[in-house]
Structures are given as structure tokens and as C-alpha cells.
Amino acid sequence: MQRSQLDEIRPAYERDGYVIIRNVVARDRMAAAEQHVHATLAQHPGVAFDKLHQMPFYHTDPFYLQLIRQPQLLDLAAQSLGPDLALFATGYIIKSPSSSMAVLWHQDGSYWPLEPMNVCTLWLAITESKIHNGCMRVIPGTQHMDLQALQERKDQASLLGNSMDESLVDEAKAVNLELNPGDVSMHHPNVIHGSNSNQSPTQWRLNLVIRVIASST
């Protein structure tokens, strides 16, 4: 990745709480990753899609380990956290055609017992991530808001089953993070975000999430 491209990331990230970086990973590697996702699903037919990223087999899968250790991804995380990094969590995030649920508005840091909260999330698009198949939505600038308590939600079906107090969310300011395969979005643990369900009858939305912390956390 070019130095000039890296230098543009930090100001945008600090201003908006997220940034999109285009063409980080080659398309042929993303095509191979798409095949790997479906092969993984076939090998674990009894595991729900939203639980798949918690499975321990990732720790010994050679393809997966090469995928998450790409230097250009680490370079992105270093723009937010500095050079001393550790992996906090990672996994495939899967939205199947016409059957996935929405993710209601939340802040990632509300789920994590990290101190200090020096963490960033890299969201690598394996397939297209667009409005019609449930791309991520972000409220820019909300990374300056304190972390909010989560509220159980029984009024609306959702993947997580909870959300932050939505009276604090100005949905009119939401930005759709539309990505092509190989693009990366990076977001702050406090920024408000969510996603709608996958409305496409045929298209999967496949992403790789990599959550990185400063080694001092």
C-alpha cells in the first residue's frame, strides 16, 4: 500500500470514526476466500452463521491464517493504534440471501471488557457489500460519544437481540458503507453502526472481520 494512501487514513478516521480503503486485497484472493467460506459452511452444517466466527478451527486453518496476517491489513490497523498490535478477535461474517436479520444500532465497545479501549475493527469485503444485501451503516462522528448500555429488544427481530437507546441515534445522518471485493472499512469501537437484512434473493454478503488491539490493552 502506498505511503500517501496510508497518510490519508488517520485524519478521516479521527474525524468520522470510520474510513473506507479501496482495493486493499487482490480480487483473486477474495474469490478464493469466497470459496473458502462456502467450503467451511459445508464442513460445519450444524453451526449457525452468526456463531461460525466463534469456532476454534480458525486457529489452525492455513488459508485463514494467511488471510488475516496480510501485511497491508496490519498497516491499516497501525494507523489507528500504533505499531505494537495484538489480535483480539476475527471471523467470517455471513449474511445469506433473503434470510439474514438486521443488526440494530450499537457500539462495538459496549460488548467488550477492554481497558483501555484501544481497538479498531477491519471489515474486509469478500463479496460485494451493498445496500441491497445489507451493507454496514454508520453514523459519522459518533465515536466521540460515550459507550452506551445495551437494551434487550423483543419488539424487532435482530441478529444480536439488543441495541443501544435508539433515541440517541440520528438515523438521517447514516452513511451506507458500500464495498467491492477487496475493499476494507475500518471503524472505531465507539462509532454507532448497524446493518439492514440481506434483501437480495441470490447474493450472499460475506465479510472477514479482524479486530485489533494495542498490545497495551
Side-chain angles (χ1 to χ4, degrees), residues 98-173:
S98 299
S99 62
S100 62
M101 290 189 289
V103 177
L104 303 181
W105 295 115
H106 67 284
Q107 300 160 294
D108 286 341
S110 297
Y111 294 93
W112 301 334
L114 299 176
E115 182 62 38
M117 189 62 69
N118 293 331
V119 54
C120 72
T121 296
L122 303 178
W123 194 263
L124 172 62
I126 297 173
T127 62
E128 284 190 346
S129 184
K130 304 290 185 176
I131 294 173
H132 68 272
N133 67 342
C135 68
M136 189 188 301
R137 307 174 72 214
V138 171
I139 311 295
T142 52
Q143 73 277 11
H144 302 300
M145 180 185 291
D146 290 340
L147 292 175
Q148 303 296 309
L150 296 166
Q151 302 177 347
E152 185 179 7
R153 294 289 299 274
K154 295 184 178 180
D155 60 310
Q156 182 177 349
S158 66
L159 184 64
L160 301 177
N162 53 40
S163 74
M164 62 181 292
D165 180 352
E166 294 196 354
S167 69
L168 301 174
V169 181
D170 186 353
E171 192 163 346
K173 295 181 179 179

Side-chain angles (χ1 to χ4, degrees), residues 7-23:
D7 290 341
E8 294 174 356
I9 292 171
R10 183 176 292 177
Y13 183 79
E14 292 180 349
R15 180 188 66 241
D16 298 326
Y18 76 94
V19 64
I20 292 176
I21 311 95
R22 303 291 182 187
N23 301 313

